[in-house]
Amino acid sequence: MLVNQAAALMGASAVGMGAFGAHALKESLNASGMTATYQTAVLYHLVHSCAVLSVRDDGWRLPAKAWVVGTILFSGSLYGLALGAPRWTGAITPVGGFCFILGWLANY
């Protein structure tokens, strides 16, 4: 149950962030040159929401945990950068990417 709830929250928030970026933030993202960064955050957020949804809901398995943490770190840091967070925030992004990779490899 918790895995499905996490996937639902992740998916809904990914769609919301995408819509927010496409409408409310469009001008500021274009002006700062951060549109592609924001779009990357939304893409990985949505893809890994679907990945979490694919995990059998018999408890928190490693792939689901890794993808949830990866989304928070990877997409969260990119959202932050796109919205003006300090540049050091970008150092968090690869840690989230590692979590994504770990989640995929845990299915092997």
Side-chain angles (χ1 to χ4, degrees):
M1 184 74 161
L2 287 176
V3 173
N4 288 340
Q5 290 172 334
L9 289 173
M10 289 173 66
S13 61
V15 171
M17 293 298 283
F20 188 58
H23 300 289
L25 298 176
K26 184 177 183 178
E27 289 182 25
S28 66
L29 290 173
N30 284 336
S32 65
M34 295 302 273
T35 301
T37 300
Y38 195 89
Q39 289 173 338
T40 299
V42 172
L43 175 64
Y44 278 77
H45 188 164
L46 187 56
V47 166
H48 288 90
S49 300
C50 295
V52 170
L53 186 60
S54 75
V55 173
R56 205 176 39 169
D57 197 3
D58 59 355
W60 277 99
R61 293 182 51 232
L62 179 59
K65 291 177 185 177
W67 291 329
V68 168
V69 171
T71 299
I72 292 167
L73 297 176
F74 184 88
S75 294
S77 63
L78 291 181
Y79 288 136
L81 285 171
L83 298 174
R87 292 198 41 84
W88 62 261
T89 307
I92 299 167
T93 308
V95 178
F98 176 78
C99 291
F100 287 153
I101 294 167
L102 178 65
W104 289 108
L105 292 176
N107 283 299
Y108 181 68

Coordinates of all heavy atoms in Angstrom, one line a residue:
M1 N 0.8 -1.2 0.0 CA 0.0 0.0 0.0 C 0.9 1.3 0.0 O 0.6 2.2 -0.7 CB -0.9 0.0 1.2 CG -1.9 1.1 1.3 SD -3.2 0.9 0.1 CE -4.4 1.9 0.7
L2 N 1.9 1.3 0.8 CA 2.7 2.5 0.9 C 3.4 2.8 -0.4 O 3.6 3.9 -0.8 CB 3.8 2.4 2.0 CG 3.2 2.5 3.4 CD1 4.3 2.2 4.4 CD2 2.6 3.9 3.6
V3 N 3.9 1.7 -1.1 CA 4.5 1.9 -2.4 C 3.6 2.5 -3.4 O 3.9 3.5 -4.1 CB 5.1 0.6 -3.0 CG1 5.7 0.7 -4.4 CG2 6.2 0.0 -2.0
N4 N 2.3 2.1 -3.5 CA 1.4 2.7 -4.4 C 1.0 4.1 -4.0 O 0.9 5.0 -4.9 CB 0.1 1.8 -4.4 CG 0.3 0.5 -5.1 OD1 1.2 0.3 -5.9 ND2 -0.6 -0.4 -4.9
Q5 N 1.0 4.4 -2.7 CA 0.7 5.7 -2.3 C 1.9 6.7 -2.6 O 1.7 7.8 -3.1 CB 0.5 5.8 -0.8 CG -0.8 5.1 -0.4 CD -1.0 5.0 1.1 OE1 0.0 4.9 1.9 NE2 -2.2 5.0 1.6
A6 N 3.1 6.2 -2.5 CA 4.3 7.0 -2.9 C 4.3 7.2 -4.3 O 4.5 8.4 -4.8 CB 5.6 6.2 -2.4
A7 N 4.0 6.2 -5.1 CA 3.9 6.4 -6.6 C 2.8 7.4 -7.0 O 3.0 8.3 -7.9 CB 3.7 5.1 -7.3
A8 N 1.7 7.3 -6.3 CA 0.6 8.3 -6.6 C 1.0 9.7 -6.3 O 0.8 10.6 -7.1 CB -0.7 7.9 -5.9
L9 N 1.6 9.9 -5.1 CA 2.0 11.2 -4.8 C 3.1 11.8 -5.7 O 3.1 12.9 -6.1 CB 2.5 11.3 -3.3 CG 1.4 11.1 -2.3 CD1 2.0 10.9 -0.9 CD2 0.4 12.3 -2.3
M10 N 4.0 10.9 -6.0 CA 5.1 11.3 -6.9 C 4.6 11.6 -8.3 O 5.0 12.7 -8.9 CB 6.2 10.2 -7.1 CG 7.0 9.9 -5.8 SD 8.1 8.5 -6.0 CE 9.2 9.0 -7.3
G11 N 3.7 10.8 -8.8 CA 3.1 11.1 -10.2 C 2.3 12.4 -10.2 O 2.5 13.2 -11.1
A12 N 1.5 12.6 -9.2 CA 0.7 13.8 -9.1 C 1.6 15.0 -9.0 O 1.3 16.1 -9.6 CB -0.3 13.7 -7.9
S13 N 2.6 14.9 -8.1 CA 3.5 16.1 -8.0 C 4.3 16.4 -9.2 O 4.6 17.5 -9.6 CB 4.4 16.0 -6.7 OG 5.2 14.8 -6.8
A14 N 4.7 15.3 -10.0 CA 5.4 15.5 -11.2 C 4.6 16.2 -12.2 O 5.0 17.2 -12.9 CB 5.9 14.1 -11.8
V15 N 3.3 15.8 -12.4 CA 2.4 16.5 -13.3 C 2.2 18.0 -12.8 O 2.2 18.9 -13.7 CB 1.1 15.8 -13.4 CG1 0.0 16.6 -14.2 CG2 1.3 14.4 -14.0
G16 N 2.0 18.2 -11.6 CA 1.9 19.5 -11.0 C 3.1 20.4 -11.3 O 2.9 21.6 -11.7
M17 N 4.3 19.8 -11.1 CA 5.5 20.6 -11.3 C 5.6 20.9 -12.8 O 6.1 22.0 -13.1 CB 6.7 19.9 -10.8 CG 6.7 19.8 -9.2 SD 6.8 21.3 -8.4 CE 8.5 21.8 -8.6
G18 N 5.3 20.0 -13.6 CA 5.4 20.2 -15.1 C 4.4 21.3 -15.5 O 4.8 22.2 -16.3
A19 N 3.2 21.3 -15.0 CA 2.2 22.3 -15.4 C 2.7 23.7 -14.8 O 2.6 24.7 -15.5 CB 0.9 21.9 -14.8
F20 N 3.2 23.7 -13.6 CA 3.6 24.9 -13.0 C 4.8 25.5 -13.8 O 4.8 26.7 -14.0 CB 4.1 24.6 -11.5 CG 4.4 25.8 -10.7 CD1 3.5 26.8 -10.5 CD2 5.7 25.9 -10.1 CE1 3.8 27.9 -9.7 CE2 6.0 27.0 -9.4 CZ 5.1 28.0 -9.2
G21 N 5.7 24.7 -14.2 CA 6.8 25.2 -15.0 C 6.4 25.6 -16.4 O 6.9 26.6 -16.9
A22 N 5.4 25.0 -17.0 CA 5.0 25.3 -18.3 C 4.2 26.6 -18.4 O 4.1 27.3 -19.4 CB 4.2 24.2 -19.0
H23 N 3.5 26.9 -17.3 CA 2.6 28.1 -17.2 C 3.2 29.2 -16.3 O 3.6 30.2 -16.8 CB 1.2 27.6 -16.8 CG 0.7 26.6 -17.8 ND1 0.2 26.9 -19.0 CD2 0.5 25.3 -17.6 CE1 -0.2 25.8 -19.7 NE2 -0.1 24.8 -18.8
A24 N 3.1 29.0 -15.0 CA 3.5 30.0 -14.1 C 5.0 30.4 -14.2 O 5.3 31.6 -14.0 CB 3.1 29.6 -12.7
L25 N 5.8 29.5 -14.5 CA 7.3 29.8 -14.5 C 7.9 30.0 -15.8 O 9.1 30.2 -16.0 CB 8.0 28.7 -13.7 CG 7.7 28.4 -12.3 CD1 8.5 27.2 -11.8 CD2 8.0 29.7 -11.5
K26 N 7.1 29.9 -16.9 CA 7.6 29.9 -18.2 C 8.5 31.0 -18.5 O 9.6 30.9 -19.0 CB 6.4 29.9 -19.2 CG 6.9 29.8 -20.7 CD 5.7 29.7 -21.6 CE 6.1 29.5 -23.0 NZ 5.0 29.4 -24.0
E27 N 8.1 32.2 -18.2 CA 8.9 33.4 -18.5 C 10.2 33.5 -17.7 O 11.2 33.8 -18.2 CB 8.0 34.7 -18.3 CG 7.0 34.9 -19.4 CD 6.2 36.2 -19.2 OE1 6.7 37.1 -18.6 OE2 5.0 36.2 -19.6
S28 N 10.1 33.2 -16.4 CA 11.3 33.3 -15.6 C 12.3 32.2 -15.9 O 13.5 32.4 -15.9 CB 10.9 33.2 -14.1 OG 10.4 32.0 -13.7
L29 N 11.8 31.0 -16.3 CA 12.7 29.9 -16.7 C 13.4 30.2 -18.0 O 14.6 30.0 -18.2 CB 12.0 28.6 -16.8 CG 11.5 27.9 -15.5 CD1 10.6 26.7 -15.8 CD2 12.7 27.6 -14.6
N30 N 12.6 30.8 -18.9 CA 13.2 31.2 -20.2 C 14.3 32.4 -20.0 O 15.4 32.3 -20.6 CB 12.2 31.7 -21.2 CG 11.4 30.6 -21.8 OD1 11.9 29.5 -21.9 ND2 10.2 30.9 -22.2
A31 N 13.9 33.3 -19.1 CA 14.8 34.4 -18.9 C 16.1 34.0 -18.2 O 17.2 34.5 -18.5 CB 14.1 35.5 -18.0
S32 N 16.0 33.0 -17.4 CA 17.2 32.5 -16.7 C 18.0 31.4 -17.4 O 19.1 31.0 -17.0 CB 16.9 32.0 -15.3 OG 16.1 30.9 -15.4
G33 N 17.4 31.0 -18.5 CA 18.0 29.9 -19.3 C 18.0 28.6 -18.6 O 18.8 27.7 -18.9
M34 N 17.0 28.4 -17.7 CA 16.9 27.1 -16.9 C 15.7 26.2 -17.3 O 15.4 25.3 -16.6 CB 16.8 27.5 -15.5 CG 18.0 28.2 -14.9 SD 19.5 27.2 -15.1 CE 19.5 26.2 -13.6
T35 N 15.2 26.5 -18.5 CA 14.0 25.7 -19.0 C 14.4 24.2 -19.1 O 13.7 23.3 -18.6 CB 13.5 26.2 -20.3 OG1 13.1 27.6 -20.1 CG2 12.3 25.4 -20.7
A36 N 15.5 24.0 -19.7 CA 16.0 22.6 -20.0 C 16.2 21.9 -18.6 O 15.9 20.7 -18.5 CB 17.2 22.5 -20.9
T37 N 16.8 22.6 -17.7 CA 17.1 22.0 -16.4 C 15.8 21.6 -15.7 O 15.6 20.5 -15.1 CB 17.9 23.0 -15.5 OG1 19.1 23.3 -16.1 CG2 18.1 22.4 -14.1
Y38 N 14.8 22.5 -15.7 CA 13.5 22.2 -15.1 C 12.8 21.0 -15.8 O 12.3 20.2 -15.2 CB 12.6 23.5 -15.2 CG 11.4 23.4 -14.3 CD1 11.5 23.9 -13.0 CD2 10.2 22.9 -14.7 CE1 10.4 23.8 -12.1 CE2 9.1 22.8 -13.9 CZ 9.2 23.3 -12.6 OH 8.1 23.2 -11.8
Q39 N 12.9 21.0 -17.1 CA 12.3 19.9 -17.9 C 12.9 18.6 -17.6 O 12.2 17.6 -17.5 CB 12.3 20.2 -19.4 CG 11.4 21.3 -19.8 CD 11.6 21.7 -21.3 OE1 12.7 21.5 -21.9 NE2 10.6 22.3 -21.9
T40 N 14.2 18.6 -17.4 CA 14.9 17.3 -17.0 C 14.4 16.9 -15.7 O 14.2 15.7 -15.5 CB 16.4 17.6 -17.0 OG1 16.9 17.9 -18.3 CG2 17.2 16.3 -16.6
A41 N 14.3 17.8 -14.7 CA 13.8 17.4 -13.4 C 12.4 16.8 -13.5 O 12.1 15.8 -12.9 CB 13.7 18.7 -12.5
V42 N 11.5 17.4 -14.3 CA 10.1 16.9 -14.4 C 10.2 15.5 -15.1 O 9.5 14.6 -14.7 CB 9.3 17.8 -15.2 CG1 7.9 17.2 -15.6 CG2 9.1 19.1 -14.5
L43 N 11.0 15.3 -16.1 CA 11.1 14.1 -16.9 C 11.5 12.9 -15.9 O 10.8 11.9 -15.9 CB 12.0 14.2 -18.0 CG 12.3 12.9 -18.8 CD1 11.0 12.4 -19.5 CD2 13.4 13.1 -19.8
Y44 N 12.6 13.1 -15.2 CA 13.1 12.1 -14.3 C 12.1 11.8 -13.1 O 11.9 10.7 -12.7 CB 14.5 12.4 -13.8 CG 15.5 12.0 -14.8 CD1 15.8 12.8 -15.9 CD2 16.3 10.9 -14.7 CE1 16.7 12.5 -16.9 CE2 17.2 10.5 -15.6 CZ 17.5 11.3 -16.7 OH 18.4 11.0 -17.6
H45 N 11.4 12.9 -12.7 CA 10.4 12.8 -11.6 C 9.3 11.9 -12.1 O 8.9 10.9 -11.4 CB 10.0 14.2 -11.3 CG 9.1 14.3 -10.1 ND1 8.8 15.5 -9.6 CD2 8.3 13.4 -9.4 CE1 8.0 15.4 -8.5 NE2 7.7 14.1 -8.5
L46 N 8.8 12.1 -13.3 CA 7.7 11.4 -13.8 C 8.1 9.9 -14.2 O 7.3 9.0 -13.8 CB 7.1 12.1 -15.0 CG 5.8 11.5 -15.6 CD1 4.7 11.4 -14.5 CD2 5.3 12.3 -16.8
V47 N 9.2 9.7 -14.8 CA 9.6 8.4 -15.2 C 9.8 7.5 -13.9 O 9.3 6.4 -13.9 CB 11.0 8.5 -16.0 CG1 11.6 7.1 -16.0 CG2 10.7 9.0 -17.4
H48 N 10.4 8.1 -12.9 CA 10.6 7.3 -11.7 C 9.4 7.1 -10.8 O 9.3 6.2 -10.0 CB 11.8 7.8 -10.9 CG 13.1 7.4 -11.7 ND1 13.6 8.3 -12.6 CD2 13.8 6.3 -11.7 CE1 14.7 7.7 -13.2 NE2 14.8 6.5 -12.7
S49 N 8.4 8.0 -11.0 CA 7.1 7.8 -10.4 C 6.4 6.5 -11.0 O 5.9 5.7 -10.3 CB 6.1 9.0 -10.7 OG 6.6 10.1 -10.2
C50 N 6.5 6.4 -12.3 CA 6.0 5.2 -13.0 C 6.8 3.9 -12.6 O 6.3 2.8 -12.4 CB 6.1 5.3 -14.5 SG 5.0 6.6 -15.1
A51 N 8.1 4.1 -12.4 CA 9.0 3.0 -12.0 C 8.6 2.5 -10.6 O 8.4 1.3 -10.3 CB 10.4 3.4 -12.0
V52 N 8.3 3.4 -9.7 CA 7.9 3.1 -8.3 C 6.5 2.3 -8.4 O 6.3 1.4 -7.7 CB 7.8 4.3 -7.4 CG1 7.1 3.9 -6.1 CG2 9.2 4.8 -7.1
L53 N 5.7 2.8 -9.3 CA 4.3 2.2 -9.4 C 4.5 0.7 -9.9 O 3.6 -0.1 -9.6 CB 3.5 3.0 -10.4 CG 2.1 2.5 -10.6 CD1 1.3 2.6 -9.3 CD2 1.4 3.4 -11.7
S54 N 5.5 0.4 -10.6 CA 5.7 -0.9 -11.1 C 6.2 -1.9 -10.1 O 6.2 -3.1 -10.3 CB 6.7 -0.9 -12.3 OG 8.0 -0.8 -11.8
V55 N 6.7 -1.4 -8.9 CA 7.2 -2.3 -7.9 C 6.0 -3.0 -7.2 O 5.1 -2.3 -6.8 CB 8.0 -1.5 -6.9 CG1 8.4 -2.3 -5.7 CG2 9.3 -0.9 -7.5
R56 N 6.1 -4.3 -7.0 CA 5.1 -5.1 -6.4 C 5.0 -4.5 -4.9 O 6.0 -4.3 -4.2 CB 5.6 -6.5 -6.3 CG 4.5 -7.5 -6.2 CD 5.0 -8.9 -6.3 NE 6.3 -8.9 -5.6 CZ 6.9 -10.0 -5.3 NH1 6.5 -11.1 -5.7 NH2 8.0 -10.0 -4.6
D57 N 3.8 -4.4 -4.5 CA 3.5 -3.7 -3.2 C 3.5 -4.8 -2.1 O 2.4 -5.0 -1.5 CB 2.2 -2.9 -3.2 CG 2.1 -1.9 -2.1 OD1 3.1 -1.9 -1.3 OD2 1.1 -1.3 -2.0
D58 N 4.6 -5.4 -1.8 CA 4.7 -6.3 -0.7 C 5.7 -5.8 0.3 O 6.4 -6.6 1.0 CB 5.1 -7.7 -1.2 CG 6.4 -7.8 -1.9 OD1 7.0 -6.7 -2.1 OD2 6.8 -8.9 -2.3
G59 N 5.8 -4.5 0.5 CA 6.7 -3.9 1.4 C 7.7 -3.0 0.6 O 7.7 -3.1 -0.7
W60 N 8.4 -2.2 1.3 CA 9.3 -1.3 0.6 C 10.5 -2.1 0.1 O 11.4 -2.4 0.9 CB 9.7 -0.2 1.6 CG 8.8 0.9 1.7 CD1 7.8 1.1 2.6 CD2 8.6 2.0 0.7 NE1 7.1 2.2 2.3 CE2 7.5 2.8 1.2 CE3 9.3 2.3 -0.4 CZ2 7.1 3.9 0.5 CZ3 8.9 3.5 -1.1 CH2 7.8 4.2 -0.6
R61 N 10.6 -2.4 -1.1 CA 11.7 -3.1 -1.7 C 12.7 -2.0 -2.1 O 12.4 -0.8 -2.3 CB 11.3 -3.9 -2.9 CG 10.4 -5.0 -2.5 CD 9.9 -5.9 -3.7 NE 11.1 -6.3 -4.5 CZ 11.1 -6.1 -5.8 NH1 10.1 -5.6 -6.5 NH2 12.2 -6.5 -6.5
L62 N 14.0 -2.5 -2.2 CA 15.1 -1.6 -2.5 C 14.9 -0.7 -3.7 O 15.1 0.5 -3.6 CB 16.4 -2.3 -2.6 CG 17.7 -1.5 -2.9 CD1 17.9 -0.4 -1.9 CD2 18.9 -2.4 -3.1
P63 N 14.4 -1.2 -4.8 CA 14.2 -0.3 -6.0 C 13.3 0.9 -5.7 O 13.6 2.0 -6.0 CB 13.6 -1.2 -7.0 CG 14.1 -2.6 -6.7 CD 14.1 -2.6 -5.2
A64 N 12.2 0.6 -5.0 CA 11.3 1.7 -4.7 C 11.9 2.7 -3.8 O 11.8 3.9 -4.0 CB 10.0 1.1 -4.0
K65 N 12.6 2.2 -2.8 CA 13.3 3.2 -1.9 C 14.3 4.0 -2.6 O 14.4 5.2 -2.4 CB 14.0 2.4 -0.7 CG 13.1 1.7 0.2 CD 13.9 0.9 1.2 CE 13.0 0.1 2.2 NZ 13.8 -0.7 3.1
A66 N 15.1 3.4 -3.4 CA 16.2 4.1 -4.2 C 15.6 5.1 -5.1 O 16.1 6.2 -5.2 CB 17.0 3.1 -4.9
W67 N 14.5 4.7 -5.8 CA 13.9 5.7 -6.7 C 13.2 6.9 -6.0 O 13.2 8.0 -6.5 CB 12.9 5.0 -7.6 CG 13.5 4.0 -8.6 CD1 14.8 4.2 -9.2 CD2 13.0 2.8 -9.1 NE1 15.1 3.1 -10.0 CE2 14.0 2.3 -10.0 CE3 11.8 2.1 -8.9 CZ2 13.8 1.1 -10.7 CZ3 11.6 0.9 -9.6 CH2 12.6 0.4 -10.5
V68 N 12.6 6.6 -4.9 CA 12.0 7.7 -4.1 C 13.1 8.7 -3.7 O 13.0 9.9 -3.9 CB 11.1 7.2 -3.0 CG1 10.7 8.4 -2.0 CG2 9.9 6.5 -3.5
V69 N 14.1 8.2 -3.1 CA 15.2 9.0 -2.6 C 15.9 9.7 -3.8 O 16.2 10.9 -3.7 CB 16.2 8.2 -1.8 CG1 17.5 9.0 -1.5 CG2 15.6 7.7 -0.5
G70 N 16.1 9.0 -4.9 CA 16.7 9.5 -6.1 C 15.9 10.7 -6.6 O 16.4 11.7 -7.1
T71 N 14.6 10.6 -6.6 CA 13.7 11.6 -7.1 C 13.8 12.9 -6.3 O 13.9 14.0 -6.8 CB 12.2 11.2 -7.2 OG1 12.2 10.0 -8.1 CG2 11.3 12.3 -7.7
I72 N 13.8 12.7 -5.0 CA 14.0 13.8 -4.0 C 15.3 14.5 -4.3 O 15.3 15.8 -4.4 CB 13.8 13.3 -2.6 CG1 12.4 12.9 -2.3 CG2 14.2 14.5 -1.6 CD1 12.2 12.1 -1.0
L73 N 16.4 13.8 -4.4 CA 17.7 14.4 -4.5 C 17.9 14.9 -5.9 O 18.4 16.0 -6.1 CB 18.8 13.4 -4.1 CG 18.8 12.9 -2.7 CD1 19.8 11.8 -2.5 CD2 19.0 14.0 -1.7
F74 N 17.7 14.1 -6.9 CA 18.0 14.5 -8.3 C 17.0 15.6 -8.8 O 17.4 16.7 -9.1 CB 17.9 13.2 -9.2 CG 18.3 13.5 -10.7 CD1 19.6 13.4 -11.1 CD2 17.3 13.9 -11.6 CE1 20.0 13.7 -12.4 CE2 17.7 14.1 -12.9 CZ 19.0 14.0 -13.3
S75 N 15.7 15.2 -8.9 CA 14.8 16.2 -9.4 C 14.7 17.4 -8.4 O 14.6 18.6 -8.9 CB 13.4 15.6 -9.6 OG 13.5 14.6 -10.6
G76 N 14.7 17.1 -7.1 CA 14.6 18.2 -6.2 C 15.8 19.2 -6.3 O 15.5 20.5 -6.3
S77 N 17.0 18.8 -6.5 CA 18.1 19.7 -6.7 C 18.0 20.4 -8.0 O 18.3 21.6 -8.1 CB 19.4 18.9 -6.6 OG 19.6 18.0 -7.6
L78 N 17.5 19.8 -9.1 CA 17.4 20.5 -10.3 C 16.2 21.5 -10.3 O 16.4 22.6 -10.8 CB 17.1 19.5 -11.5 CG 18.3 18.6 -11.9 CD1 17.9 17.7 -13.0 CD2 19.5 19.4 -12.2
Y79 N 15.1 21.2 -9.6 CA 14.1 22.2 -9.4 C 14.7 23.4 -8.7 O 14.4 24.5 -9.0 CB 12.9 21.6 -8.6 CG 12.0 20.6 -9.3 CD1 11.6 19.4 -8.6 CD2 11.6 20.8 -10.6 CE1 10.8 18.5 -9.2 CE2 10.8 19.9 -11.2 CZ 10.4 18.7 -10.5 OH 9.6 17.8 -11.1
G80 N 15.4 23.1 -7.6 CA 16.0 24.2 -6.9 C 16.9 25.0 -7.7 O 16.9 26.3 -7.7
L81 N 17.8 24.4 -8.5 CA 18.7 25.2 -9.4 C 17.9 26.0 -10.3 O 18.3 27.2 -10.6 CB 19.7 24.2 -10.1 CG 20.8 23.6 -9.3 CD1 21.5 22.5 -10.2 CD2 21.8 24.7 -8.9
A82 N 16.9 25.4 -10.9 CA 16.1 26.2 -11.9 C 15.4 27.4 -11.3 O 15.1 28.4 -12.0 CB 15.1 25.2 -12.6
L83 N 15.1 27.3 -10.0 CA 14.4 28.3 -9.3 C 15.3 29.3 -8.5 O 14.8 30.1 -7.8 CB 13.3 27.7 -8.4 CG 12.2 26.9 -9.1 CD1 11.3 26.2 -8.2 CD2 11.5 27.8 -10.1
G84 N 16.6 29.1 -8.7 CA 17.5 30.1 -8.1 C 18.3 29.7 -6.9 O 18.9 30.5 -6.2
A85 N 18.3 28.4 -6.6 CA 19.0 27.9 -5.4 C 20.5 28.2 -5.7 O 21.0 28.3 -6.8 CB 18.8 26.5 -5.2
P86 N 21.3 28.2 -4.6 CA 22.8 28.3 -4.8 C 23.4 27.2 -5.7 O 22.9 26.1 -5.7 CB 23.4 28.2 -3.4 CG 22.2 28.4 -2.5 CD 21.0 28.0 -3.2
R87 N 24.4 27.5 -6.5 CA 25.0 26.6 -7.4 C 25.5 25.3 -6.7 O 25.5 24.3 -7.4 CB 26.1 27.2 -8.2 CG 25.6 28.3 -9.1 CD 26.5 28.8 -10.2 NE 27.2 27.8 -11.0 CZ 26.8 27.0 -12.0 NH1 25.5 27.1 -12.4 NH2 27.6 26.2 -12.6
W88 N 25.9 25.4 -5.4 CA 26.3 24.2 -4.8 C 25.2 23.1 -4.7 O 25.5 21.9 -4.5 CB 26.9 24.5 -3.4 CG 25.9 25.0 -2.4 CD1 25.8 26.4 -2.1 CD2 24.9 24.3 -1.6 NE1 24.8 26.5 -1.2 CE2 24.2 25.3 -0.9 CE3 24.6 23.0 -1.5 CZ2 23.2 24.9 0.0 CZ3 23.6 22.7 -0.7 CH2 22.9 23.6 0.1
T89 N 24.0 23.5 -4.9 CA 22.9 22.6 -4.9 C 23.1 21.5 -6.0 O 22.6 20.4 -5.8 CB 21.5 23.3 -5.1 OG1 21.4 24.3 -4.1 CG2 20.4 22.4 -5.0
G90 N 23.8 21.9 -7.0 CA 24.0 21.0 -8.1 C 24.9 19.8 -7.7 O 24.9 18.8 -8.4
A91 N 25.6 19.9 -6.7 CA 26.5 18.8 -6.2 C 25.6 17.7 -5.6 O 26.1 16.5 -5.5 CB 27.4 19.3 -5.1
I92 N 24.4 17.9 -5.3 CA 23.4 16.9 -4.8 C 22.9 16.0 -6.0 O 22.6 14.8 -5.8 CB 22.3 17.6 -4.1 CG1 22.8 18.3 -2.9 CG2 21.2 16.5 -3.6 CD1 21.8 19.3 -2.2
T93 N 22.8 16.6 -7.2 CA 22.2 15.9 -8.3 C 22.8 14.6 -8.6 O 22.1 13.6 -8.8 CB 22.2 16.9 -9.5 OG1 21.7 18.1 -9.2 CG2 21.4 16.3 -10.7
P94 N 24.1 14.4 -8.7 CA 24.7 13.1 -9.0 C 24.4 12.0 -7.9 O 24.3 10.9 -8.2 CB 26.2 13.4 -9.0 CG 26.4 14.8 -9.2 CD 25.2 15.5 -8.6
V95 N 24.2 12.4 -6.7 CA 23.8 11.5 -5.6 C 22.5 10.9 -5.9 O 22.2 9.7 -5.8 CB 23.9 12.1 -4.2 CG1 23.4 11.1 -3.2 CG2 25.2 12.7 -3.9
G96 N 21.6 11.8 -6.4 CA 20.2 11.3 -6.8 C 20.3 10.4 -8.0 O 19.6 9.4 -8.1
G97 N 21.2 10.8 -9.0 CA 21.4 9.9 -10.1 C 21.9 8.5 -9.8 O 21.5 7.5 -10.3
F98 N 22.8 8.5 -8.8 CA 23.3 7.2 -8.3 C 22.2 6.4 -7.7 O 22.1 5.2 -7.9 CB 24.4 7.4 -7.3 CG 24.9 6.2 -6.6 CD1 25.8 5.3 -7.3 CD2 24.5 5.8 -5.4 CE1 26.2 4.1 -6.8 CE2 24.9 4.6 -4.8 CZ 25.8 3.8 -5.5
C99 N 21.3 7.0 -7.0 CA 20.1 6.3 -6.4 C 19.3 5.7 -7.5 O 18.8 4.6 -7.4 CB 19.3 7.2 -5.5 SG 20.2 7.7 -4.0
F100 N 19.1 6.5 -8.6 CA 18.3 6.0 -9.7 C 19.0 4.7 -10.3 O 18.3 3.7 -10.5 CB 18.2 7.0 -10.8 CG 17.3 8.1 -10.6 CD1 17.5 9.4 -11.2 CD2 16.2 8.0 -9.7 CE1 16.6 10.4 -11.0 CE2 15.3 9.1 -9.5 CZ 15.5 10.3 -10.1
I101 N 20.3 4.8 -10.5 CA 21.0 3.6 -11.0 C 20.9 2.4 -10.1 O 20.7 1.3 -10.5 CB 22.5 4.0 -11.3 CG1 22.5 5.1 -12.5 CG2 23.3 2.8 -11.7 CD1 23.8 5.7 -12.6
L102 N 21.1 2.7 -8.8 CA 21.0 1.6 -7.8 C 19.6 1.0 -7.9 O 19.5 -0.3 -7.8 CB 21.3 2.2 -6.4 CG 21.1 1.2 -5.2 CD1 22.2 0.2 -5.3 CD2 21.2 2.0 -3.9
G103 N 18.6 1.7 -8.0 CA 17.3 1.2 -8.1 C 17.1 0.3 -9.3 O 16.5 -0.8 -9.2
W104 N 17.6 0.7 -10.4 CA 17.5 -0.1 -11.6 C 18.3 -1.4 -11.5 O 17.9 -2.5 -11.8 CB 17.9 0.7 -12.8 CG 16.9 1.7 -13.2 CD1 17.0 3.1 -13.1 CD2 15.6 1.5 -13.7 NE1 15.8 3.7 -13.5 CE2 14.9 2.7 -13.9 CE3 14.9 0.3 -14.1 CZ2 13.7 2.9 -14.4 CZ3 13.6 0.5 -14.6 CH2 13.0 1.7 -14.7
L105 N 19.5 -1.3 -11.0 CA 20.4 -2.5 -10.8 C 19.8 -3.4 -9.7 O 20.1 -4.6 -9.8 CB 21.8 -2.1 -10.5 CG 22.6 -1.4 -11.6 CD1 23.9 -0.9 -11.1 CD2 22.7 -2.3 -12.8
A106 N 19.1 -2.9 -8.8 CA 18.5 -3.8 -7.7 C 17.5 -4.7 -8.3 O 17.1 -5.7 -7.7 CB 17.9 -2.9 -6.6
N107 N 17.0 -4.4 -9.5 CA 16.0 -5.3 -10.2 C 16.7 -6.4 -10.9 O 16.0 -7.3 -11.5 CB 15.2 -4.5 -11.1 CG 14.1 -3.7 -10.4 OD1 13.3 -4.3 -9.7 ND2 14.2 -2.4 -10.5
Y108 N 18.0 -6.4 -11.0 CA 18.8 -7.4 -11.8 C 18.7 -8.8 -11.2 O 18.8 -9.0 -10.1 CB 20.2 -6.9 -12.0 CG 21.0 -7.8 -12.9 CD1 20.8 -7.9 -14.2 CD2 22.1 -8.5 -12.3 CE1 21.5 -8.8 -15.0 CE2 22.8 -9.4 -13.1 CZ 22.6 -9.5 -14.4 OH 23.3 -10.3 -15.2

